[in-house]
Amino acid sequence: MADKHPGPVVDTSASRHARLRPVSAPDVRITDDFWAPRLRRNREVTIPAQHAQCESTGALRNFARAAGSADGDFSGRYYSDSDVYKWIEAASWSMATHPSEELADRLDSVIELVAGAQDPDGYLNTYFSVDRVHERWTDLVVRHEMYCVGHLVAAAVAHARATGRSTLLDVALRACAHIADRFTPGRVTGACGHPGLEMALVELYRTTGDERWLTLATWQLDSRGRGVLDGSEYLVDHQPVRQQDRVTGHAVRALYLYSGMADVVLETGDPELRAALERLWADLSGAKTAVTGGVGARWDGEAFGDAYELPDRSYNETCAAIAHIFLAWRLLLLTGEPQYRDVVETALHNGVLPGLSLSGTEFFYQNPLADAGRHRRAEWFSCACCPPNIARLLASLPGYLYTTDDDGIQVQLYIGNQAELRLADGIPVRLDLATELPWRGEVRLTVDPAEPREFTVTLPVPGWAGADVTVRVNGDPVALDTGRRRIALRRTWSAGDTVEVTLPTEVRTLVGHPRVTAVHRRAALAMGPLVYCLEQADHHGTAVADIRLTGVERWTVAHEPELLGGVCTLSAQAGAAPVDDGPLYRPYREPAAPTSGVSVTAVPYFAWANRTPGEMRVFVPLA
Amino acid sequence: MADKHPGPVVDTSASRHARLRPVSAPDVRITDDFWAPRLRRNREVTIPAQHAQCESTGALRNFARAAGSADGDFSGRYYSDSDVYKWIEAASWSMATHPSEELADRLDSVIELVAGAQDPDGYLNTYFSVDRVHERWTDLVVRHEMYCVGHLVAAAVAHARATGRSTLLDVALRACAHIADRFTPGRVTGACGHPGLEMALVELYRTTGDERWLTLATWQLDSRGRGVLDGSEYLVDHQPVRQQDRVTGHAVRALYLYSGMADVVLETGDPELRAALERLWADLSGAKTAVTGGVGARWDGEAFGDAYELPDRSYNETCAAIAHIFLAWRLLLLTGEPQYRDVVETALHNGVLPGLSLSGTEFFYQNPLADAGRHRRAEWFSCACCPPNIARLLASLPGYLYTTDDDGIQVQLYIGNQAELRLADGIPVRLDLATELPWRGEVRLTVDPAEPREFTVTLPVPGWAGADVTVRVNGDPVALDTGRRRIALRRTWSAGDTVEVTLPTEVRTLVGHPRVTAVHRRAALAMGPLVYCLEQADHHGTAVADIRLTGVERWTVAHEPELLGGVCTLSAQAGAAPVDDGPLYRPYREPAAPTSGVSVTAVPYFAWANRTPGEMRVFVPLA
């Protein structure tokens, strides 16, 4: 747990407008039974498998080719460099928390390949090397050149924070200098069809202290909607970002862009950008988010739908859920408001995690809320954005568990861990958080400052926990106001103090806003932070499509260690629509009463499609 | 009403396995207040406007370019020749029923252009001319070469039937001979990524009597699913057609293909192909058709969804509804079964007609069942398949009103008309059908044979008419069995005999099969053959999205001649969900009772999006 090269994911430690400061990922070790095995699988299976994919798809060889040390054609898409950069980022965060000589060597050799592909003028994109040099910067709309540099910067910052070395950071700085020279703030407008560079530039500013990068990020944000690109909603280029009030167009593009806006606001406090973010978030959270935290309902254009357009077969790209977390985390750091941590938690468990098979080797690009059994994970995609995006998020997850401020420490995610953080005055505090979440809501936090100190430990009351939260400090109950969304415990803490929180994890039956007509009179099951679904594999003799949530008296929660890697199932006696061989459309009559006594079992949505293919539903008719 | 060059659309008059024979389009003159003005607008506005589009987009110039009489690059997509062919087909059917010297001259000049672009070896595709000659037949999967010839053949057959001239037919015959030589039946497999040629070839066989074309059509059908293409569902190449039992993949491709299968079955009776068609139709009609007759629910791949996957924002391409009619019409001719004419009627009124603006100049490509006000018609598309497809179908509509068989004459569509048909023994029968449908269900048919004859006049009982149909012949009631789907009146008919049929047109509240969860506990309004919708333009102070069909005692039907070109509206006092500013998802509680006394007005779905943009819904929550 070194702090020679501090490793927060989003480093707002010096951000003037941040309400919260981050902690360094290496200072937090995830220890629970749910996430710790997943992070281990990410390190031991997913990251190596993705390196192999970067090799077999030619994404790595593209760098050697650009350096002149390999022959042949360019392989993959014009943005395939970003697969390699995301892999570097994932590997770097993995190194930060779990140093490995083997991975260090592999990282070094990949970075050497990348560095070798850079031109003397700083330009770096292997698609535009060898035979396409003359096409550089000729198509900002389509070709993702700045987007790829954004991922290079993100990888470089992660690598520097994880290892303290600047081998890749130097490459990234030269690439950014090339862009800053070409698309000069105040003089030459420039923006990329696919945002992403903006947030990376702000992180580069945070890492280097060089305001040039903050200026360039702001300049790029403000170049949008001004005729530089194509003016389309798809590229989020339909309006200057300061005027936008509706999330629209390509979901990943939009949320990467807004994450960059949030980063600029964290640094500058720009009130216009902040107001735009507030409007956009209200639209996103109020009308365009799936119950899973997935976003981007439309298959056409991988785009947001209109308000309340949230059908069963929503697109919900895995990358969009990750981008949703990026934006929510930045807004959390900006405001400290608990609504944002709720989104991080929901999207992590239900929007991102389903993107990964239990084996760690297969991935979903889309995450619909219903399926007939034909939507399955794949080992890779020709557009391979999602798999390494999952890997880098999981590898950096320790950095999302806590924040700090001048008053003390905030728990943000209830994930079991051991951490060593520092108070504002530099005093170290050891924390040990034990919980069986997401299955059971008891949380025990041991607070162990190096010496007794008065400070505040704040714990969130997640939106799912409802009113009956109980808190004890060293065994003594603490009175809570109803409706409180956080528990702020200010006292003099000394070694061995414990906080016990019990968060109710009753099974919830969630319905949508009345305007979400796609799920009219249907409900989704949830428990704790998890959204559940029905899979055909658990239902014999009854089609999942016929199940009705009628007559349910109570849900039985059972932990099944052998099922789906160990999950809690929800079981009840419910109903089923009678077999209906009538026509597809018919005059309305009150439907026949569902049959009763049908055994229904729900499993966590994140675990779906890991067994025999069959019908899956998140939203089930109430009657 | 000449029969020198008989003009049925699908000429089963000599088809050995056809249950019904078609009538010639020129023998039927549509005279009602609903369709007659639409067909006039098609002739006077749409067809000229589409000719202008073929000029301005360069689709016509491509032919001159291929002939060496124009310079420049090819314009448009590799299938843009088909725009011109569909225009010729539309213009030909228009000529058949409404001869026009001006249009005849224009047709001649377009056909001259087309003929000039044909190579000596018969090859004709302007994309593969000049600079792409070497690419011919190198990419059957993508490049639509046979598809374009299919539209050429369809245009040529229509032109020959309408005018008795073979100027284009000769071109088409050479083009088909080229294909038959290259993809020789029995020896060299060949099929096109986009079907369409198959049904055209059978029609060419019917026109010429040359079995070569029937053999080639069958050969092409059977080349599918055998490694010639890419094996994808998208191309309907995943299985040999004889084995298929599930409609999947690209909807237009699939339904054009199955129309070709039906054509082959009409000629050969092939029992395997017929059985496959029956399975496919059961899947299509039982689980994959929108309430409008639109088909192809998915935006990704313009494809069929899984069974019962029929969301609000279904894709429902206009061309797919047309293809649905093509298939249903052929199955009607094959079997005589009334279910197929119902589909023709529903898809025509609600699947195709919405594709055309009331002005006749703007078109929908997709026809979703709900919209927030942003989906609007366009004058043309870069992929311009739909507009001329609508024009050709409307121009040929007179050919869909009747069929005949050895026993007599069958009314198939209740569209007001005057016709002169012939009985099997050659005796002419004048028919005059007067109706105010789709608004009112009274139908008066005058049957006027040249001399008294015993034969059967059959009238359909549409699925929407329910049980209370009444029939009188010369004023005398005819007893009907309940549940009958047709009224077969066998008697000796003599001049001036009249049949009066009254079809109930009560407002119907239609719901989906219980597995269509997207519309769970919602209903669509319908009257007669029309599906209705709610548009925001008719609702002030209440958001359409909040309307609930609660407390409706009766619907008032009002004909409003000034509204939307003259429509019947449906009005009632219904309910609305109270304003809800709660979160997007919340624990289930019985929702607040809708407010009552909300004035609700529904308009025909075909007329939507012709006023101020706003919310539109076909399916409305029941409560």
Side-chain angles (χ1 to χ4, degrees):
Chain A
M1 297 196 187
D3 59 3
K4 280 180 306 190
H5 32 86
V9 181
V10 176
D11 187 359
T12 57
S13 53
S15 302
R16 285 192 302 136
H17 298 271
R19 171 76 186 73
L20 304 179
R21 289 189 292 267
V23 303
S24 290
D27 293 346
V28 180
R29 191 160 59 88
I30 289 179
T31 55
D32 71 352
D33 287 344
F34 185 83
W35 286 103
R38 287 182 157 75
L39 267 55
R40 186 168 59 246
R41 197 173 307 117
N42 193 46
R43 289 191 304 275
E44 296 177 358
V45 178
T46 308
I47 290 175
Q50 296 194 347
H51 183 270
Q53 289 287 353
C54 287
E55 281 198 319
S56 65
T57 59
L60 279 169
R61 201 187 49 82
N62 287 335
F63 287 94
R65 177 180 174 270
S69 58
D71 295 325
D73 290 336
F74 176 87
S75 299
R77 303 277 180 94
Y78 43 82
Y79 44 78
S80 81
D81 288 0
S82 65
D83 300 346
V84 174
Y85 299 147
K86 278 189 269 191
W87 180 86
I88 294 174
E89 190 179 341
S92 295
W93 288 122
S94 172
M95 287 281 296
T97 56
H98 292 78
S100 143
E101 243 176 74
E102 190 190 339
L103 188 56
D105 289 346
R106 184 168 273 180
L107 252 177
D108 283 348
S109 77
V110 171
I111 288 170
E112 195 179 337
L113 261 182
V114 169
Q118 187 165 39
D119 274 17
D121 69 354
Y123 186 90
L124 177 48
N125 186 313
T126 70
Y127 180 81
F128 297 92
S129 61
V130 192
D131 44 347
R132 288 205 193 82
V133 173
H134 62 286
E135 293 179 35
R136 290 177 181 178
W137 305 121
T138 58
D139 187 355
L140 297 179
V141 168
V142 171
R143 294 292 179 85
H144 288 54
E145 283 165 283
M146 295 188 203
Y147 167 85
C148 285
V149 173
H151 278 298
L152 168 64
V153 172
V157 168
H159 182 251
R161 288 182 185 164
T163 65
R165 294 171 56 208
S166 68
T167 42
L168 192 61
L169 193 62
D170 293 341
V171 174
L173 284 165
R174 284 193 297 271
C176 291
H178 178 92
I179 292 174
D181 287 348
R182 182 151 200 127
F183 302 98
T184 323
R187 290 204 293 114
V188 185
T189 50
C192 184
H194 201 311
L197 179 56
E198 303 82 355
M199 61 178 154
L201 284 169
V202 179
E203 213 58 49
L204 193 61
Y205 159 69
R206 290 171 181 148
T207 290
T208 62
D210 187 344
E211 292 221 356
R212 185 179 184 191
W213 311 127
L214 179 60
T215 306
L216 181 58
T218 312
W219 180 243
Q220 297 219 333
L221 287 172
D222 282 325
S223 291
R224 264 192 142 68
R226 300 184 192 280
V228 176
L229 298 171
D230 66 357
S232 71
E233 287 194 356
Y234 178 73
L235 301 186
V236 206
D237 189 44
H238 54 295
Q239 259 184 329
V241 292
R242 293 167 186 277
Q243 296 169 20
Q244 293 182 18
D245 54 10
R246 203 165 48 84
V247 293
T248 187
H250 189 262
V252 175
R253 281 178 167 80
L255 297 181
Y256 279 11
L257 184 70
Y258 302 147
S259 296
M261 279 166 68
D263 276 323
V264 168
V265 172
L266 278 160
E267 302 308 318
T268 67
D270 188 317
E272 226 180 15
L273 286 181
R274 184 170 185 147
L277 279 171
E278 282 167 9
R279 295 191 302 269
L280 290 161
W281 184 266
D283 184 43
L284 177 64
S285 62
K288 296 179 180 171
T289 301
V291 70
T292 54
V295 288
R298 290 190 178 175
W299 286 67
D300 46 311
E302 305 183 319
F304 292 109
D306 285 315
Y308 305 108
E309 181 189 322
L310 296 160
D312 272 337
R313 192 169 171 270
S314 283
Y315 193 77
N316 293 342
E317 183 179 340
T318 308
C319 283
I322 292 171
H324 197 194
I325 290 173
F326 287 173
L327 177 59
W329 182 250
R330 283 158 177 77
L331 294 174
L332 174 65
L333 294 172
L334 182 66
T335 65
E337 293 297 327
Q339 59 167 314
Y340 300 113
R341 62 78 50 202
D342 280 8
V343 167
V344 171
E345 182 182 63
T346 300
L348 176 67
H349 287 83
N350 309 291
V352 177
L353 202 51
L356 184 66
S357 66
L358 296 179
S359 64
T361 52
E362 296 187 321
F363 309 92
F364 270 143
Y365 196 113
Q366 302 92 6
N367 297 276
L369 306 185
D371 181 57
R374 306 217 295 151
H375 187 66
R376 303 268 106 191
R377 294 182 188 84
E379 288 190 352
W380 208 244
F381 305 95
S382 58
C383 171
C385 49
C386 298
N389 221 349
I390 299 172
R392 69 171 177 152
L393 180 72
L394 291 187
S396 68
L397 187 61
Y400 289 90
L401 269 51
Y402 294 97
T403 54
T404 66
D405 64 8
D406 288 345
D407 286 339
I409 293 167
Q410 301 84 42
V411 174
Q412 294 296 356
L413 294 179
Y414 285 116
I415 292 176
N417 73 89
Q418 294 175 345
E420 182 171 327
L421 310 182
R422 282 179 192 277
L423 299 175
D425 61 6
I427 299 296
V429 181
R430 284 181 188 275
L431 298 160
D432 189 324
L433 190 148
T435 178
E436 288 177 46
L437 275 168
W439 312 120
R440 293 168 48 86
E442 291 78 18
V443 176
R444 180 187 170 91
L445 175 67
T446 308
V447 181
D448 202 351
E451 50 193 80
R453 269 290 187 285
E454 187 183 352
F455 60 96
T456 306
V457 171
T458 307
L459 300 113
V461 178
W464 49 262
D468 301 328
V469 176
T470 62
V471 184
R472 290 170 184 267
V473 175
N474 295 333
D476 299 328
V478 175
L480 290 179
D481 301 342
T482 42
R484 269 170 78 171
R485 294 299 314 283
R486 8 177 199 223
I487 310 153
L489 303 169
R490 183 156 192 98
R491 63 193 296 281
T492 299
W493 298 93
S494 42
D497 283 344
T498 60
V499 182
E500 289 161 293
V501 179
T502 303
L503 303 165
T505 53
E506 291 115 39
V507 176
R508 285 163 298 134
T509 305
L510 298 177
V511 296
H513 185 283
R515 286 197 176 172
V516 188
T517 40
V519 299
H520 183 66
R521 294 282 179 160
R522 294 195 286 150
L525 299 169
M527 187 183 72
L530 297 179
V531 173
Y532 275 70
C533 67
L534 306 186
E535 277 199 298
Q536 194 60 55
D538 299 303
H539 299 89
H540 310 289
T542 304
V544 158
D546 292 336
I547 291 174
R548 301 289 182 266
L549 296 181
T550 46
V552 176
E553 288 179 11
R554 65 183 201 88
W555 290 95
T556 303
V557 180
H559 192 260
E560 303 198 34
E562 300 306 314
L563 183 67
L564 295 166
V567 297
C568 283
T569 57
L570 316 180
S571 300
Q573 296 295 302
V579 168
D580 187 321
D581 54 6
L584 191 49
Y585 303 99
R586 69 285 292 272
Y588 173 71
R589 281 194 310 271
E590 190 56 35
T595 57
S596 58
V598 174
S599 295
V600 171
T601 298
V603 295
Y605 174 70
F606 74 74
W608 85 279
N610 280 289
R611 294 178 291 175
T612 313
E615 194 90 23
M616 182 281 292
R617 299 285 172 105
V618 170
F619 280 95
V620 182
L622 285 158
Chain B
M1 297 194 187
D3 59 2
K4 279 180 306 190
H5 31 85
V9 180
V10 176
D11 188 0
T12 57
S13 53
S15 302
R16 283 192 302 136
H17 298 272
R19 169 78 188 73
L20 305 179
R21 288 189 292 267
V23 302
S24 290
D27 292 345
V28 181
R29 190 160 59 87
I30 289 179
T31 55
D32 71 351
D33 288 342
F34 185 83
W35 285 103
R38 287 182 156 75
L39 267 56
R40 186 167 58 247
R41 198 172 306 117
N42 193 46
R43 290 192 301 276
E44 296 177 358
V45 177
T46 307
I47 290 175
Q50 296 194 349
H51 183 269
Q53 289 287 353
C54 287
E55 282 198 318
S56 66
T57 58
L60 279 169
R61 202 187 48 82
N62 286 337
F63 287 94
R65 176 179 172 273
S69 58
D71 295 327
D73 290 336
F74 176 87
S75 299
R77 304 276 180 95
Y78 43 83
Y79 44 78
S80 82
D81 288 1
S82 66
D83 300 345
V84 173
Y85 299 147
K86 277 189 269 190
W87 181 86
I88 294 174
E89 189 178 344
S92 296
W93 288 122
S94 173
M95 286 282 296
T97 55
H98 292 79
S100 143
E101 245 178 72
E102 190 190 337
L103 187 55
D105 289 347
R106 184 168 274 180
L107 252 177
D108 283 349
S109 76
V110 171
I111 288 170
E112 197 178 336
L113 260 182
V114 169
Q118 188 167 38
D119 275 16
D121 69 354
Y123 186 90
L124 176 48
N125 187 313
T126 71
Y127 180 80
F128 296 93
S129 62
V130 191
D131 44 346
R132 288 204 194 84
V133 174
H134 62 287
E135 294 178 36
R136 289 176 182 178
W137 306 121
T138 58
D139 187 356
L140 296 178
V141 168
V142 171
R143 293 292 179 86
H144 287 54
E145 282 165 285
M146 295 188 202
Y147 167 85
C148 286
V149 172
H151 279 297
L152 167 64
V153 172
V157 168
H159 181 251
R161 288 181 184 166
T163 65
R165 294 171 57 210
S166 68
T167 43
L168 192 61
L169 193 61
D170 293 340
V171 174
L173 284 165
R174 284 194 296 271
C176 291
H178 178 92
I179 291 174
D181 287 347
R182 182 152 201 126
F183 302 98
T184 321
R187 289 205 292 115
V188 185
T189 50
C192 184
H194 200 311
L197 179 56
E198 303 82 355
M199 60 178 152
L201 285 169
V202 179
E203 213 57 49
L204 193 61
Y205 159 68
R206 291 171 181 148
T207 290
T208 62
D210 186 343
E211 293 221 355
R212 183 179 187 191
W213 311 128
L214 178 59
T215 306
L216 181 58
T218 313
W219 180 244
Q220 297 219 332
L221 287 173
D222 282 325
S223 292
R224 265 193 142 67
R226 299 184 192 279
V228 177
L229 298 170
D230 66 356
S232 70
E233 288 195 355
Y234 179 74
L235 300 186
V236 205
D237 189 44
H238 54 295
Q239 259 185 329
V241 293
R242 293 168 186 276
Q243 296 171 18
Q244 293 183 17
D245 54 10
R246 201 164 49 86
V247 294
T248 187
H250 189 261
V252 175
R253 282 178 167 81
L255 297 181
Y256 279 11
L257 184 70
Y258 301 147
S259 296
M261 279 166 68
D263 276 323
V264 168
V265 173
L266 279 160
E267 303 308 319
T268 67
D270 188 317
E272 225 181 15
L273 285 180
R274 184 170 185 147
L277 279 171
E278 282 166 9
R279 295 192 302 268
L280 291 162
W281 183 266
D283 185 43
L284 176 64
S285 63
K288 297 180 180 171
T289 301
V291 70
T292 55
V295 287
R298 291 191 178 175
W299 286 68
D300 46 312
E302 304 183 320
F304 292 109
D306 285 315
Y308 305 107
E309 180 189 323
L310 296 159
D312 273 337
R313 192 168 170 270
S314 282
Y315 194 77
N316 292 344
E317 182 180 339
T318 307
C319 283
I322 292 170
H324 197 194
I325 290 174
F326 287 173
L327 178 59
W329 182 251
R330 284 157 176 80
L331 294 175
L332 175 65
L333 294 173
L334 182 66
T335 64
E337 292 298 326
Q339 59 167 315
Y340 300 113
R341 62 77 51 201
D342 280 8
V343 167
V344 171
E345 182 181 63
T346 300
L348 176 66
H349 287 83
N350 310 291
V352 179
L353 202 51
L356 184 66
S357 67
L358 296 179
S359 64
T361 52
E362 296 186 322
F363 308 94
F364 270 142
Y365 196 113
Q366 303 90 7
N367 296 276
L369 305 186
D371 181 58
R374 307 217 294 153
H375 187 65
R376 312 307 285 175
R377 293 183 188 83
E379 289 190 351
W380 207 245
F381 304 94
S382 56
C383 171
C385 49
C386 298
N389 221 350
I390 299 171
R392 69 171 177 150
L393 180 72
L394 292 186
S396 68
L397 187 60
Y400 288 91
L401 269 51
Y402 294 99
T403 53
T404 66
D405 63 9
D406 288 345
D407 285 339
I409 293 168
Q410 302 84 40
V411 174
Q412 295 296 355
L413 294 179
Y414 284 115
I415 291 176
N417 73 90
Q418 294 175 344
E420 183 172 327
L421 309 183
R422 281 179 193 275
L423 299 175
D425 61 7
I427 298 295
V429 181
R430 285 180 188 277
L431 298 160
D432 188 324
L433 189 149
T435 179
E436 288 177 46
L437 276 169
W439 312 122
R440 293 166 50 85
E442 291 80 17
V443 176
R444 183 188 170 89
L445 175 68
T446 308
V447 181
D448 203 350
E451 49 193 80
R453 268 293 187 283
E454 187 183 351
F455 60 96
T456 306
V457 172
T458 306
L459 299 113
V461 178
W464 49 260
D468 300 328
V469 176
T470 63
V471 183
R472 288 168 185 270
V473 175
N474 295 331
D476 299 328
V478 175
L480 291 179
D481 301 341
T482 42
R484 272 170 76 169
R485 294 299 316 281
R486 23 183 185 212
I487 309 155
L489 303 168
R490 183 155 192 99
R491 63 193 297 280
T492 300
W493 297 93
S494 43
D497 282 344
T498 60
V499 181
E500 289 161 294
V501 179
T502 302
L503 303 165
T505 54
E506 293 116 39
V507 176
R508 285 163 298 135
T509 304
L510 299 176
V511 296
H513 185 283
R515 286 198 177 171
V516 188
T517 39
V519 300
H520 182 67
R521 293 283 179 159
R522 294 196 286 149
L525 299 168
M527 187 182 72
L530 298 179
V531 173
Y532 276 69
C533 68
L534 306 185
E535 277 200 296
Q536 195 58 56
D538 299 303
H539 299 89
H540 310 291
T542 303
V544 158
D546 292 337
I547 290 173
R548 299 289 182 268
L549 296 182
T550 46
V552 176
E553 289 180 9
R554 64 184 202 89
W555 290 95
T556 303
V557 181
H559 192 258
E560 303 198 33
E562 301 304 315
L563 184 67
L564 296 166
V567 296
C568 282
T569 57
L570 316 180
S571 300
Q573 298 294 301
V579 169
D580 186 319
D581 54 8
L584 190 50
Y585 303 99
R586 68 286 289 271
Y588 173 70
R589 280 195 309 272
E590 190 56 35
T595 58
S596 59
V598 175
S599 295
V600 171
T601 298
V603 295
Y605 175 70
F606 74 74
W608 84 280
N610 279 289
R611 295 178 291 176
T612 314
E615 194 89 24
M616 182 281 291
R617 299 284 172 105
V618 169
F619 281 94
V620 182
L622 286 158

